Amino acid sequence: MSLPTVNDYSFLEKIGTGSYAIVYKAVKKTTPREVIAIKCVDKSTLSKSAIDNLVTEINLLKILKHEHIVEMKDFFWDEGNIYIAMEYCDGGDLSNFIKKKHKLPENVCRKFLQQLALALKYLRENSVCHMDLKPQNLLLMKRPKLTLKVGDFGFAQYLAPSEQKFTIRGSPLYMAPEILLRHKYDCRVDLWSVGVIMYECLFGKAPYSSNSFQELAEKIKDMRPIELPKSSYISPACKNLLLSLLKHNPSERITFEDFFAHEFLDLKHAPIQENFHHAVALVQKAVQSDAQKNTKEAIHLYSEALRYFIPLLINEVDLQRKEALRSRVNEYIKRAEQLKNVCLNYDRSEERGVMQKEDERAPSLQRMNTLDRSTSFSFTELFALSKSTTGMSGALEIGEAAEQYLAEGNYALALEKFQSSLGVLVPLLGKEPPGRRRDLLHKQVQLWMKAAESTKELLVTKDIDPQAANETHEQCVLQ
Ligand code: ADP
Ligand code: MG
């Protein structure tokens, strides 16, 4: 098939075919030459509604400017076609990405969902619903870092609360039940689609993957419960979000506000510019508290600031800025750890006086983070209850050692220990009957999973060789 010809652009190759367009990679004949993607729609095949969709898409893309929304550069037409020139996404689309990897680790899934959620938040602020969210319409940028961008606004709508549509739009597999069942629907359909996308990222297939439209429609009509493959473990927060999105009844589905605030996404600490200022303000307060010898407050503030700084550091692509940020982050980690030790020693001497005989496990209890006393006590209780189950107390001790290594700054060993402890505790948790011990174990597993994740992030910040950072960045983001 011959490539289209247009004055200012050289078409290079076909990169995608969608529901009504063909997308080409092209180069703008300017200096410097700019690589772009051009979406071409054959005018002769366009129905009245397809023209409407295209006009909506162009009008929306003109105003929507966001890091996680594909940018429109230009649009034009000739006798045969309408063209939309967009930024070229060199990583293809999410559908191909999942196919290549079969399924994605929870961390990667979180990263993508976080970016998708930031785009959806922006769309909501602009009163726009996408209406056709699916992996094929989520484009990926590999360079300078792996980034997701929402594309294909062909079915997008301005939100008009009073006016609800009855036409079927989008792809059945990702389509909310209320659309398929021809009930009234609104923007909440996007949340269902996010749930299906999340499921496909985690398990490699859609929750209602079917061989035919009939089969799919049956499953939706029967409100078949969503089954999570037993072979893949996902964290409780991840499972909670997934199942809250995949609620058949839109009024039971998680709301946009709760979605944006969900702990699995942790959008609050997402690496966005605004959070950099927030982190700096927190550190300034930490330094003040530190100077005033308000140690616990200072530790709290340093730790809070680090929760913002670390994602920003991981996300930074400019080597110079990354280096500066890394040394800043290391300084804050070091200071927070020094202060923790001061606190620990103080608490130890206090405890020695008050509770010397109270608990023979006191030394290990003291090793726990004394700032979170309730956690230390529940650990002690769990440890006492663990004796009756083979392997449990050993695994708890390994987890405890991991915490110790973490406090000492030996991140590699800490991560190894967290992982080996969780490797035993997670399956045990799966078999544990309801009761006090299950609650305690659940809490401990969650705590250490979070700790393992932050340890991984700390490792990344510590170990990236600045020279190699560019090449390794994709892996860093993906881990
Ligand atoms: P349609 O509206 O016909 O579904 P899309 O806009 O979804 O068309 O594009 C079809 C496919 O082309 C996408 O699924 C994706 O694989 C590819 N594609 C679209 N836009 C880009 C882009 N900017 N960069 C790279 N690939 C793209
Ligand atoms: Mg498409």
Side-chain angles (χ1 to χ4, degrees):
M1 201 187 87
S2 66
L3 295 169
T5 47
V6 183
N7 266 349
D8 302 338
Y9 299 90
S10 308
F11 283 73
L12 301 179
E13 60 189 297
K14 183 167 131 183
I15 46 177
T17 316
S19 25
Y20 71 107
I22 302 179
V23 180
Y24 296 90
K25 185 175 177 181
V27 180
K28 188 165 186 191
K29 298 177 197 158
T30 47
T31 26
R33 285 158 72 86
E34 189 189 3
V35 176
I36 50 154
I38 300 187
K39 180 166 173 170
C40 302
V41 185
D42 180 350
K43 279 204 279 193
S44 66
T45 63
L46 285 183
S47 63
K48 162 85 179 67
S49 67
I51 294 177
D52 287 349
N53 289 345
L54 203 61
V55 170
T56 317
E57 177 164 17
I58 292 170
N59 284 334
L60 278 174
L61 285 176
K62 263 199 269 185
I63 52 162
L64 297 174
K65 300 285 169 225
H66 188 267
E67 193 190 344
H68 297 296
I69 293 179
V70 66
E71 189 192 343
M72 182 175 77
K73 306 267 186 188
D74 197 5
F75 70 94
F76 42 90
W77 58 90
D78 56 22
E79 308 82 68
N81 294 294
I82 297 174
Y83 305 91
I84 304 179
M86 304 169 270
E87 63 179 320
Y88 169 63
C89 299
D90 60 354
D93 62 51
L94 182 63
S95 168
N96 287 325
F97 190 83
I98 300 174
K99 272 192 203 113
K100 254 189 264 158
K101 315 246 172 213
H102 303 295
K103 54 187 182 174
L104 311 181
E106 198 176 301
N107 267 5
V108 182
C109 173
R110 186 210 317 274
K111 196 97 240 151
F112 285 151
L113 272 191
Q114 216 179 37
Q115 300 184 349
L116 174 58
L118 287 172
L120 289 181
K121 198 156 181 258
Y122 173 81
L123 288 184
R124 256 191 104 61
E125 283 154 13
N126 285 278
S127 307
V128 172
C129 321
H130 187 280
M131 301 288 192
D132 193 19
L133 290 175
K134 55 180 176 178
Q136 292 85 336
N137 289 339
L138 301 178
L139 305 167
L140 298 178
M141 209 73 144
K142 270 199 280 196
R143 268 173 288 268
K145 60 178 189 278
L146 194 66
T147 308
L148 175 146
K149 305 221 175 210
V150 179
D152 194 355
F153 282 75
F155 288 157
Q157 295 278 310
Y158 271 109
L159 173 107
S162 54
E163 182 200 338
Q164 287 174 317
K165 304 274 187 287
F166 289 93
T167 41
I168 289 218
R169 331 176 133 259
S171 320
L173 204 51
Y174 303 91
M175 202 180 268
E178 62 268 32
I179 308 185
L180 279 170
L181 299 172
R182 297 181 170 272
H183 297 161
K184 285 193 172 184
Y185 66 84
D186 54 35
C187 258
R188 289 174 293 181
V189 298
D190 280 348
L191 289 168
W192 171 274
S193 308
V194 172
V196 182
I197 294 167
M198 182 177 177
Y199 190 106
E200 191 167 325
C201 283
L202 291 166
F203 307 120
K205 61 179 173 66
Y208 288 142
S209 55
S210 306
N211 292 320
S212 66
F213 179 73
Q214 256 64 34
E215 192 187 325
L216 173 71
E218 288 286 286
K219 288 178 182 170
I220 299 255
K221 235 179 31 223
D222 297 351
M223 293 179 72
R224 269 305 155 87
I226 306 287
E227 282 174 11
L228 307 183
K230 297 245 167 4
S231 51
S232 316
Y233 172 80
I234 56 170
S235 71
C238 179
K239 182 172 168 184
N240 175 283
L241 177 60
L242 182 61
L243 296 179
S244 320
L245 288 162
L246 291 175
K247 289 272 187 236
H248 287 244
N249 183 343
S251 56
E252 286 171 19
R253 202 169 295 152
I254 192 169
T255 61
F256 275 98
E257 285 59 40
D258 290 347
F259 170 61
F260 298 137
H262 198 277
E263 61 163 317
F264 177 70
L265 292 184
D266 197 20
L267 275 199
K268 192 177 159 209
H269 300 104
I272 53 174
Q273 191 55 27
E274 196 182 311
N275 280 345
F276 181 77
H277 302 302
H278 202 54
V280 171
L282 279 166
V283 150
Q284 281 166 350
K285 281 198 206 151
V287 171
Q288 245 173 25
S289 300
D290 199 351
Q292 292 161 354
K293 303 254 175 301
N294 196 346
T295 312
K296 288 196 177 177
E297 180 70 10
I299 299 174
H300 171 72
L301 288 165
Y302 277 123
S303 312
E304 259 311 290
L306 283 165
R307 291 185 70 188
Y308 289 96
F309 271 128
I310 289 174
L312 284 161
L313 172 61
I314 293 173
N315 207 44
E316 182 58 65
V317 284
D318 180 288
L319 279 189
Q320 241 173 342
R321 276 205 298 266
K322 197 176 184 85
E323 220 14 75
L325 195 53
R326 189 198 327 276
S327 67
R328 221 168 147 171
V329 162
N330 282 339
E331 214 179 281
Y332 303 146
I333 294 177
K334 225 160 87 194
R335 185 62 191 148
E337 278 169 4
Q338 278 169 354
L339 291 176
K340 269 188 197 170
N341 282 334
V342 171
C343 248
L344 207 66
N345 290 335
Y346 173 76
D347 284 347
R348 259 184 207 163
S349 56
E350 278 224 310
E351 273 167 9
R352 232 174 269 136
V354 183
M355 42 187 287
Q356 195 134 42
K357 296 224 172 65
E358 193 182 303
D359 184 342
E360 55 175 357
R361 287 193 49 76
S364 61
L365 184 148
Q366 288 154 8
R367 265 194 270 136
M368 301 289 291
N369 183 355
T370 47
L371 289 175
D372 187 356
R373 193 48 62 86
S374 62
T375 313
S376 313
F377 284 124
S378 54
F379 176 84
T380 315
E381 190 186 344
L382 175 61
F383 192 83
L385 294 172
S386 70
K387 302 275 164 59
S388 56
T389 305
T390 327
M392 195 185 282
S393 54
L396 287 170
E397 268 169 344
I398 296 173
E400 217 189 355
E403 291 208 350
Q404 184 66 16
Y405 286 124
L406 182 60
E408 287 164 6
N410 193 343
Y411 302 131
L413 208 51
L415 181 60
E416 194 190 307
K417 297 280 173 202
F418 275 131
Q419 284 170 338
S420 80
S421 164
L422 288 166
V424 177
L425 295 180
V426 169
L428 285 176
L429 179 62
K431 285 188 250 158
E432 183 72 16
R436 173 79 181 150
R437 193 171 80 161
R438 188 182 194 287
D439 295 344
L440 291 169
L441 186 58
H442 179 237
K443 190 169 161 193
Q444 196 61 58
V445 163
Q446 264 188 315
L447 206 76
W448 283 345
M449 281 178 124
K450 276 211 179 114
E453 254 178 53
S454 358
T455 312
K456 241 187 221 175
E457 284 171 353
L458 287 169
L459 264 174
V460 172
T461 69
K462 263 195 134 176
D463 295 346
I464 299 176
D465 163 13
Q467 307 308 323
N470 250 358
E471 297 100 73
T472 54
H473 199 86
E474 189 183 338
Q475 284 149 285
C476 304
V477 174
L478 279 178
Q479 267 162 17

